Amino acid sequence: MQFACIGIRYTEAKLSVRDKISFTDAMKLAFFGRAEAAGVDQCMVLSTCNRSEAYYFYTDEGQKAQMRRIYMEMFPEADTGRYLNETDGEKAIAYLFAVAAGLESMVPGEDQILGQVKEALDYARTMGYAGKELNRTVRDAVTCAKRIKTELNISAQPLSAGYVGIRMLQEYCGIAGKRALVIGSGKTAALAVKYVSEYGAAQIVACSRTRSHAARLCMEVPETEIVSYESRYTAMADCDIVISATASPHFVVRREEFCPQKPIAFLDLAAPRVIDPAYADDPLVHLIDLDILQETVSRNYRERRRLAEQGRGRIAADVRETAAWLMQSRMDSTIESLQQRCGAIAEDSFAYLDRKMQLGAREQKLLKKVLNASLQRLMREPIRELKRLDTEEEQEAYKQMVRQLFQI
């Protein structure tokens, strides 16, 4: 039995291709059913915006070829074969471990993929397509991913310009107890309101060209005060922090219309810029724009990539351990058959001696224990040797030998 992976991912296929190669739950069930008909009864599908992959166990090359054909036939309108990736053995195990840890993600170290891997296994198990081997392999990948995330803390390097900007404000002037004005009403503005609230801003004021749009920001932080767009400069005079997160073809904060009388920090999250860059020369103003933010975001991305490479090195031992367990597990049925054979012999011997000797309850119990222990002791070393076999060829040869020697 060999572990394998087949599918497409963002590194080879553009979004326009990935849009056509995506599994719904109904398609997953159909895929499982066709895989089972081909002799593959352990299978998991991981389908996200960046990948659509199947992880499975096969017993011969014919099943592997059938899985490729089944996958391609699931998406007849897409040129699947052009982008298809196939991996098996220890490389496939290592790939799954890296995927679960976010090391194969478009954003290195992202956290969402770990939950998606767990959900994929849960779905396969619920539908009856995850046996002992698949459960163990995916569980090991999840455990390793959690350890890597804890040890390296890759996701602590923020890649969101908005979040990086808020952190810069925190480092520069501290947000707790300050009064902040957020200009805008979209998703970026909503996140800005949320972040400054989490950092302990004493008061948050919001404004937008459309007052009803600005009012939506209260859904994030109900205490947010809404002011009209026209009165933004008046509100600004009382603020310590101004965050602009609005799309506009021209400046919404102009140097000639607002001259600060006390220290103030500006965070411009718009492209093109909407806060007058002339403020950079004002000694009372600390101006942060996307150019400054991009330097930090790029640096954080490079750091994530560096940590991701460290993570790859750290999963190697866990991958080898899982691969070794899978190798040993291939002999489980043979070992179980040997143990059952020992149990049957012990039962037959006990029944014969009990009839001949007419033992009491205490003696019967003792005799059963002695017979079972003796036979298990006899088989202990052979079973250890079976577990040490490290190639499929040896395992298959020994399986045949055991069946012939012990008539099982």
Side-chain angles (χ1 to χ4, degrees), residues 24-301:
T24 63
D25 282 351
M27 291 175 71
K28 290 177 189 176
L29 275 178
F31 185 82
F32 291 157
R34 295 189 63 182
E36 186 175 28
V40 173
D41 56 6
Q42 292 195 65
C43 184
M44 177 185 87
V45 171
L46 177 63
S47 189
T48 72
C49 58
N50 284 330
R51 69 187 73 251
S52 289
E53 297 169 330
Y55 300 85
Y56 64 96
F57 282 91
Y58 69 95
T59 55
D60 59 60
E61 289 298 319
Q63 290 177 349
K64 188 178 174 184
Q66 288 215 60
M67 288 296 284
R68 179 184 177 86
R69 178 179 57 79
I70 292 167
Y71 189 102
M72 293 175 67
E73 289 177 353
M74 292 293 294
F75 308 101
E77 296 180 4
D79 187 10
T80 317
R82 182 179 172 187
Y83 306 101
L84 209 55
N85 285 283
E86 293 183 85
T87 318
D88 60 13
E90 197 163 317
K91 285 185 178 180
I93 299 171
Y95 176 70
L96 173 61
F97 276 52
V99 167
L103 307 183
E104 292 287 346
S105 295
M106 188 178 290
V107 177
E110 58 100 359
D111 295 321
Q112 189 178 12
I113 187 66
L114 181 57
Q116 292 168 331
V117 169
K118 290 191 283 189
E119 288 173 8
L121 176 63
D122 187 56
Y123 187 78
R125 186 169 50 235
T126 300
M127 298 304 159
Y129 292 95
K132 177 180 68 175
E133 289 80 10
L134 185 59
N135 272 297
R136 169 66 184 261
T137 304
V138 180
R139 280 204 317 271
D140 284 357
V142 168
T143 300
C144 178
K146 289 178 178 177
R147 179 175 59 79
I148 295 295
K149 288 178 181 295
T150 300
E151 290 176 356
L152 299 180
N153 205 16
I154 302 175
S155 56
Q157 309 296 322
L159 299 180
S160 158
Y163 188 66
V164 169
I166 299 297
R167 280 182 50 162
M168 283 187 171
L169 288 174
Q170 171 67 12
E171 291 169 7
Y172 171 70
C173 61
I175 297 173
K178 301 292 174 61
R179 180 179 168 93
L181 170 66
V182 177
I183 304 172
S185 57
K187 184 177 179 181
T188 303
L191 286 173
V193 167
K194 178 174 178 286
Y195 292 150
V196 294
S197 174
E198 289 174 352
Y199 273 106
Q203 187 174 14
I204 303 171
V205 182
C207 73
S208 173
R209 290 182 184 278
T210 306
R211 189 181 180 90
S212 60
H213 291 175
R216 295 173 190 165
L217 300 181
C218 295
M219 296 174 67
E220 282 292 342
V221 181
E223 309 85 54
T224 303
E225 179 186 340
I226 307 300
V227 299
S228 68
Y229 180 77
E230 291 71 24
S231 61
R232 64 191 183 282
Y233 290 121
T234 303
M236 215 174 287
D238 294 326
C239 287
D240 308 290
I241 295 166
V242 175
I243 302 168
S244 178
T246 183
S248 174
H250 49 74
F251 295 149
V252 299
V253 181
R254 296 179 180 276
R255 179 70 178 79
E256 62 267 23
E257 295 187 46
F258 176 71
C259 185
Q261 302 301 307
K262 63 183 181 67
I264 189 168
F266 286 131
L267 173 60
D268 190 348
L269 295 174
R273 292 176 291 185
V274 295
I275 295 180
D276 195 336
Y279 279 115
D281 299 324
D282 191 320
L284 291 176
V285 175
H286 183 72
L287 177 61
I288 303 170
D289 61 19
L290 285 178
D291 281 345
I292 296 171
L293 295 177
Q294 191 55 47
E295 291 177 14
T296 301
V297 169
S298 297
R299 186 169 61 249
N300 288 352
Y301 184 80

Side-chain angles (χ1 to χ4, degrees), residues 314-366:
R314 296 192 184 195
I315 69 175
D318 289 20
V319 169
R320 287 194 296 271
E321 186 177 329
T322 300
W325 181 87
L326 287 172
M327 178 65 71
Q328 290 179 6
S329 72
R330 293 175 184 145
M331 298 301 291
D332 284 354
S333 60
T334 300
I335 292 170
E336 187 179 349
S337 296
L338 273 176
Q339 291 171 333
Q340 288 174 351
R341 182 73 170 137
C342 286
I345 292 170
E347 283 295 325
D348 289 344
S349 300
F350 169 77
Y352 174 78
L353 292 171
D354 187 39
R355 286 196 306 271
K356 291 293 185 181
M357 301 172 68
Q358 296 183 340
L359 302 171
R362 184 174 177 278
E363 288 79 9
Q364 286 178 340
K365 188 175 181 180
L366 179 61

Side-chain angles (χ1 to χ4, degrees), residues 13-24:
K14 295 180 180 179
L15 183 58
S16 58
V17 176
R18 300 198 304 274
D19 283 343
K20 299 175 183 175
I21 307 173
S22 180
F23 286 87
T24 63

Side-chain angles (χ1 to χ4, degrees), residues 362-374:
R362 184 174 177 278
E363 288 79 9
Q364 286 178 340
K365 188 175 181 180
L366 179 61
L367 180 59
K368 277 187 177 181
K369 282 187 177 181
V370 171
L371 286 171
N372 276 301
S374 298

